[in-house]
Structures are given as C-alpha cells and as structure tokens.
Amino acid sequence: MIKKSLLVLATLGAAAQLANAQVDSVYTETRTQDKYSVVTNRFGSNWEIGFGVGGNMLFGDHDKQMKLVDRLGLNGGIHVAKWFTPGLGLRVGAFGGMLPGVSGYTGHNLDYPNVNYGNYQGFIKKPYDFYQSAPKGHYGLLETEQKYVNLHGDVLFNLSNLIGGYKEDRFYSFIPFVSVGFALSLDNAVNGSKTHEVTGGVGLLNRFRLSKALDLNVEVRGTYVSDRFDQEYVAYNQKASAYQGQAGRWGEGVLSATVGLSYKIPRRGWDNVVERTIRVNDNLLNDLRNRVGALTNENDDLRRQLENALNREVTRENVSAQPLLVTFPIDRWTLSNKDRVNLGFLAEAIKSNPGVVYSVTGYADRGTGSVKRNIFLARKRSEVIFDCLVNEFGVSESQLRRDDKGGVENMYYNDPRCSRAVLLKVAE
C-alpha cells in the first residue's frame, strides 16, 4: 500500500508539472459570441426595485355614460422584481389610486326628482351630487369615487431577449406580462361594505435603458375583477323590502397607464458562456513529450528502487507530501470532484506523517472584486479545504493550520486564475 501511495504521489507531481506548463503557455479563455448563451446567475443577482405614476379608468355598470375625461383618475404603484433569465422574470408589488364613476338608481316605485338615495349603490361621493341632469321622469346618475389598492404578482416575458438574444446595452425592450392579485377598497360603500376581490390581468411593459443601472418604464395594464368590485351589483325590490339579484354584467375592468423608473440592484447583467481552448505548436508538443518521457523514466527508476530495497522497510513516516494548489472559478469556493480526488491522496500522505503540520492558505485575485469580497472569498476557500480534509478524509485538526490572505497579486505565471486558490504545504 505504501509503495502504491508513493508511486501515486510521483505521478501527481508529474501531472502538476505538465499542467503548469500548459497553463503558462497555451491555455486561453474566450467568451462565446452566441447571444442566446448566458450563465444563469445566483438568486441574489438581477433584482430591481421601481415605481410608476399615471392614470386609470374604471369600466363599471354605468361609467360608459360619462365623458371620457371625467372617467380618468390618478394611479401609482411600486414593485420589486427578480429576473431568473434574460427572458423570464417575476415581479410583486402594489398599485392603486382613485377611480371616478357614477351610480345608477336601483329602485322601482319612486319618481324623479324625489329620489331615495338609499336606492343607489357603490362608493357615492358626499354630499350627494348628480353627474348630469336627467329628463323628467328619468332617474339621474350620482357621482362615485372609489379609492383602492391592488396587491399583485406578475410573470414577465422579455420578448426582445427571448427572440433577439441577450444584449446588455439594448435601448428598448418589449415585455408583456400576465398578472394575478387581490384588490381592496380603502373606504366603505354606501351599504357599509368594502371591496376585497381576486383580480387577474395582462399588460405590456415598454422599457427604455437610461444607464447600466436605471431604466425608464412605460406600462399599460388591464385588470379584470368581479361585478362586486364597485359595489353596484344589487337591485332593491321595494315590494320584498330587500336587495336582490345582480346587475347582470360579466364583471368590472380597470385600465391603467403609468410612467416610472426602475433601479437594478448589483449584481446586474448576465455573463456569456466561457469557451476554453488550448492552442499547441509543434515545439511545445515536442517539449511536453520529452518531459513526459523523462518523468516516465524517473517513475520507472523509483519503482526499481522500491523493488530492490528488500533490506529497507518502507513505513508511513518515509512518505512526504508535495505542495498542492487547488484553484477555483472567479467568485466561487465550491470543490470539484477532481479536487477531492487530489485531496484524498494528499490526506493519506498527511496522516502518514503525524508529526508534521501543514498550512492551508486561501487566496483571492486582487484584480477582481472589492477588498471585503476578496477577504470573504479567501476565507471561504480555505475553510472548504480544511473541512474536506478533516470531515471527509479524517485528517487530524492538530496537523492543519488554516490561514487566508485575501486579495493578492498574480502569484504564478502572471495568471490571475492561479491566485483564486488554496495552497497546501508543510508549515514553516
């Protein structure tokens, strides 16, 4: 077993030398030109907050009898949104305002103008005021004013990105959405009731890019709600002295339009998929072949020495571990299966030398990220290596000394990727 471990360590050392030669000479990374290929970011990325102000209009039982300008009321809203991909997002928020309208007479036995105001339903303004005079023998329309708020959730579809591909500096984005919500009135109707109705709707968000962090939004939304929304849904039967039936409409509608701003919280945007390529020339290939041949000869010589050393016992104390550098992708600290395999071999060597202490030092690339973020990354990277050696491979904590250096300049081959790493070696 000890012989096999020693041979494995020698082989790992050879592989490490070849890997260093490749990274130093021929390893390159390029971002793909495919505009539909992006990296899905973490949950904390691509959030935004925003607001909008504008106007709205109620489509109720009698509002069609009003002049268009008299039907307009103020509207506003706020929202929080999360984009899971460049084409799909989820938004929650609230909008509302004031909806002007009119209420029609629901009684049967009284003649105008001796009107019983109790036969009018809805959010009637006080003091009572007719919207317009009615011909003799007809009932008039009382003015209403409904204050409401609608809590909603929207599913957003950025068709500009879905059809045209992701483009960070795109000026205009076409974003339809579907919505569900819950509408509440802020005051009581004349019958003492409040509105509390489920809503559904569709809309269109027109987005204009002002900067990397700020967008101008022009939004149109149509909302459907039941006929109870404006509280004008019953008729009074004087003979039965009761309110009976419904007004017979399919429901109510609210049309709103707003203009507003949204702010994209960092981290924002999407990274393109990175393509890794290796370009090798003939001279380098020959050099690598020579190195492989030399290392193979050294390995064979080592095997012969072990086979011939019959008069010398090979013990666990005879095995020493070479330094190991474990690298990480930018802004990450997760171990790959390949890294765990190498750490497993190193753990055997560490446990074979119980009198030696090994340092586990974390690093981050100073060229990317803030000082605070790099300190965090270096610590997380050394912690995950330390935990893997102790909890997964059984290395004693007394043989490990954990440290982290935060962001550092390029340590090896002038390559920042080699500084996003943890270095394991015998402690000095």
Side-chain angles (χ1 to χ4, degrees):
M1 177 63 185
I2 300 303
K3 295 180 180 180
K4 291 183 179 179
S5 298
L6 189 54
L7 288 173
V8 167
L9 287 174
T11 304
L12 285 177
Q17 293 182 42
L18 289 175
N20 287 337
Q22 291 176 349
V23 170
D24 182 37
S25 304
V26 299
Y27 185 79
T28 61
E29 289 185 355
T30 58
R31 295 189 179 275
T32 179
Q33 299 301 312
D34 185 357
K35 57 187 177 182
Y36 297 97
S37 298
V38 296
V39 178
T40 301
N41 292 331
R42 291 176 177 263
F43 185 76
S45 302
N46 294 301
W47 286 83
E48 65 177 57
I49 56 175
F51 73 94
V53 294
N56 54 201
M57 178 187 301
L58 174 65
F59 292 83
D61 295 316
H62 303 284
D63 302 295
K64 64 182 178 180
Q65 302 176 55
M66 300 175 65
K67 295 178 181 179
L68 179 63
V69 67
D70 294 337
R71 299 174 65 180
L72 299 176
L74 293 176
N75 174 274
I78 57 175
H79 74 265
V80 177
K82 157 69 178 173
W83 288 96
F84 295 94
T85 71
L88 180 64
L90 180 65
R91 178 174 65 174
V92 295
F95 69 87
M98 186 269 290
L99 293 168
V102 291
S103 175
Y105 184 65
T106 60
H108 298 285
N109 299 321
L110 297 178
D111 295 328
Y112 181 86
N114 298 318
V115 174
N116 181 348
Y117 293 107
N119 288 309
Y120 286 84
Q121 296 297 300
F123 297 87
I124 299 175
K125 294 175 63 176
K126 295 181 180 179
Y128 300 123
D129 190 13
F130 283 106
Y131 172 68
Q132 59 187 13
S133 60
K136 188 175 182 180
H138 292 75
Y139 299 106
L141 300 170
L142 286 181
E143 294 184 5
T144 63
E145 185 176 272
Q146 181 176 355
K147 300 180 182 68
Y148 78 104
V149 62
N150 188 8
L151 308 176
H152 64 93
D154 307 329
V155 180
L156 307 168
F157 304 93
N158 190 325
L159 293 187
S160 297
N161 284 337
L162 288 173
I163 297 175
Y166 171 64
K167 185 179 179 182
E168 182 180 2
D169 58 353
R170 176 176 280 114
F171 175 67
Y172 171 73
S173 294
F174 183 84
I175 309 173
F177 61 87
V178 294
S179 176
V180 294
F182 193 75
L184 303 166
S185 61
L186 302 181
D187 46 21
N188 294 328
V190 293
N191 61 6
S193 299
K194 282 184 176 290
T195 290
H196 41 81
E197 300 294 330
V198 174
T199 66
V202 296
L204 175 62
L205 172 60
N206 299 279
R207 172 158 291 180
F208 301 89
R209 184 180 189 272
L210 300 180
S211 68
K212 188 174 182 180
L214 201 62
D215 290 327
L216 173 69
N217 299 320
V218 179
E219 181 174 321
V220 179
R221 177 192 294 266
T223 303
Y224 169 79
V225 69
S226 78
D227 193 46
R228 296 182 296 270
F229 180 66
D230 62 2
Q231 295 294 327
E232 296 179 51
Y233 63 97
V234 295
Y236 186 72
N237 187 322
Q238 290 188 343
K239 185 176 181 179
S241 299
Y243 292 99
Q244 297 177 341
Q246 293 193 5
R249 289 178 56 88
W250 51 268
E252 317 288 358
V254 177
L255 178 66
S256 61
T258 59
V259 177
L261 297 173
S262 59
Y263 171 73
K264 302 173 186 175
I265 302 173
R267 298 178 53 186
R268 59 178 75 98
W270 306 88
D271 295 329
N272 293 108
V273 174
V274 174
E275 296 178 338
R276 293 175 172 83
T277 58
I278 297 179
R279 296 181 177 86
V280 183
N281 56 42
D282 292 338
N283 292 332
L284 181 57
L285 280 174
N286 292 332
D287 182 58
L288 291 175
R289 291 191 187 100
N290 293 334
R291 294 191 190 186
V292 170
L295 291 170
T296 301
N297 293 334
E298 292 178 9
N299 201 38
D300 291 340
D301 182 62
L302 179 60
R303 185 182 297 108
R304 286 191 297 270
Q305 291 181 41
L306 288 172
E307 292 173 351
N308 295 331
L310 299 177
N311 59 341
R312 179 176 178 269
E313 181 182 3
V314 180
T315 66
R316 297 173 67 89
E317 287 73 18
N318 298 134
V319 182
S320 62
Q322 296 184 7
L324 177 64
L325 185 72
V326 179
T327 60
F328 297 84
I330 187 171
D331 201 41
R332 298 289 187 272
W333 58 86
T334 304
L335 281 174
S336 67
N337 290 335
K338 182 189 72 175
D339 295 330
R340 280 187 161 85
V341 171
N342 290 334
L343 288 172
F345 289 131
L346 180 63
E348 289 298 320
I350 293 176
K351 290 186 290 184
S352 299
N353 294 269
V356 180
V357 177
Y358 294 80
S359 64
V360 181
T361 307
Y363 301 89
D365 169 27
R366 181 180 294 176
T368 57
S370 64
V371 173
K372 183 178 180 180
R373 183 65 178 177
N374 286 333
I375 292 174
F376 170 80
L377 288 172
R379 176 172 56 82
K380 294 296 291 186
R381 288 165 178 168
S382 62
E383 286 177 350
V384 76
I385 297 291
F386 186 94
D387 292 342
C388 179
L389 290 172
V390 172
N391 299 324
E392 187 168 340
F393 296 114
V395 176
S396 172
E397 292 188 21
S398 63
Q399 281 193 266
L400 299 176
R401 181 188 302 164
R402 194 191 65 79
D403 191 13
D404 47 79
K405 301 299 184 182
V408 297
E409 298 293 346
N410 296 344
M411 298 190 298
Y412 304 104
Y413 299 103
N414 197 29
D415 189 338
R417 290 167 299 183
C418 295
S419 299
R420 304 164 194 153
V422 171
L423 180 62
L424 300 100
K425 64 178 182 178
V426 176
E428 297 177 354

